[in-house]
Amino acid sequence: MDKLQTDIEAIYSQIEELRRERQQLSNVAIVPAGDSPKAIADAYRRHARETAQVSAEVKGIDDAIAALSAQLSQKQQQSVNLQKRSSPMEQQVEEGRALAHGHAERINELAAELAAEVKGLKAIADQISPSYWQVYYKPFITGFSSISVPYVRSDGDVWTIVNRVV
């Protein structure tokens, strides 16, 4: 919502800047270099050449204003739709959902790391267990058949935490 409002303000600001620039381009006065007929003719010829370039710039500015105005209308409509659709409770739920998504991703990262560590420990245990039995008359580590790590998944609406066996 804040980003949308920031976008709207940026577009509005750009439109105002373009309008000021267009106004400055349109207010070009013809100034002859002197009172002679040649100076007056040269001033009008120069103005005609410059007017073509200025007209092209004004057209570009008008096109940019039209495009930005269309974008502004679209963003304003999105803002209105969002405000109509979102109650404070919905906004709170969406913010919580975003936070939960971050935690779920972190849990899944940690689960992958933990699974790798458990597999490493199991490899060491498998390697030294026979010798450990002979030296200490007991197992080195037990319970590897049921080790699992949490994993969070979502179908879009409902999130599920499952245990994956390592």
Side-chain angles (χ1 to χ4, degrees), residues 12-85:
Y12 183 74
S13 173
Q14 185 65 44
I15 288 172
E16 288 304 310
E17 185 177 320
L18 288 169
R19 286 183 177 152
R20 285 191 298 274
E21 183 179 348
R22 186 187 192 288
Q23 184 70 25
Q24 289 174 347
L25 287 173
S26 299
N27 291 337
V28 176
I30 301 172
V31 180
D35 290 337
S36 72
K38 181 162 176 46
I40 292 172
D42 287 343
Y44 276 92
R45 283 187 184 131
R46 187 178 62 250
H47 180 70
R49 282 191 301 270
E50 291 171 357
T51 301
Q53 182 180 353
V54 168
S55 294
E57 285 187 52
V58 168
K59 169 80 168 93
I61 290 172
D62 288 344
D63 291 347
I65 289 172
L68 288 170
S69 294
Q71 190 178 20
L72 179 63
S73 296
Q74 180 186 11
K75 296 279 185 181
Q76 287 172 332
Q77 187 61 42
Q78 286 176 350
S79 177
V80 167
N81 289 344
L82 187 61
Q83 288 174 353
K84 284 181 183 176
R85 185 187 73 171

Side-chain angles (χ1 to χ4, degrees), residues 27-28 40 46 61 69 74 90 93 99 132 134 151-153 155 157:
N27 291 337
V28 176
I40 292 172
R46 187 178 62 250
I61 290 172
S69 294
Q74 180 186 11
E90 280 181 286
V93 166
L99 287 172
Y132 197 87
Q134 290 176 358
Y151 179 78
V152 181
R153 66 178 182 215
D155 67 0
D157 292 327

Side-chain angles (χ1 to χ4, degrees), residues 105-124:
E105 286 181 355
R106 181 70 178 133
I107 287 170
N108 290 343
E109 288 171 12
L110 291 172
E113 289 177 31
L114 183 59
E117 292 296 326
V118 167
K119 287 177 184 177
L121 180 59
K122 183 168 182 0
I124 292 170

Side-chain angles (χ1 to χ4, degrees), residues 1 82-83 86-97:
M1 183 74 172
L82 187 61
Q83 288 174 353
S86 326
S87 67
M89 188 181 300
E90 280 181 286
Q91 289 176 351
Q92 186 179 13
V93 166
E94 289 303 316
E95 289 170 3
R97 192 173 176 179

Side-chain angles (χ1 to χ4, degrees), residues 118-166:
V118 167
K119 287 177 184 177
L121 180 59
K122 183 168 182 0
I124 292 170
D126 288 345
Q127 182 183 0
I128 67 168
S129 280
S131 301
Y132 197 87
W133 267 105
Q134 290 176 358
V135 173
Y136 296 105
Y137 307 107
K138 53 186 158 187
F140 175 61
I141 298 178
T142 63
F144 272 117
S145 62
S146 62
I147 298 295
S148 62
V149 294
Y151 179 78
V152 181
R153 66 178 182 215
S154 172
D155 67 0
D157 292 327
V158 178
W159 292 26
T160 307
I161 298 176
V162 295
N163 288 319
R164 288 191 170 172
V165 176
V166 177

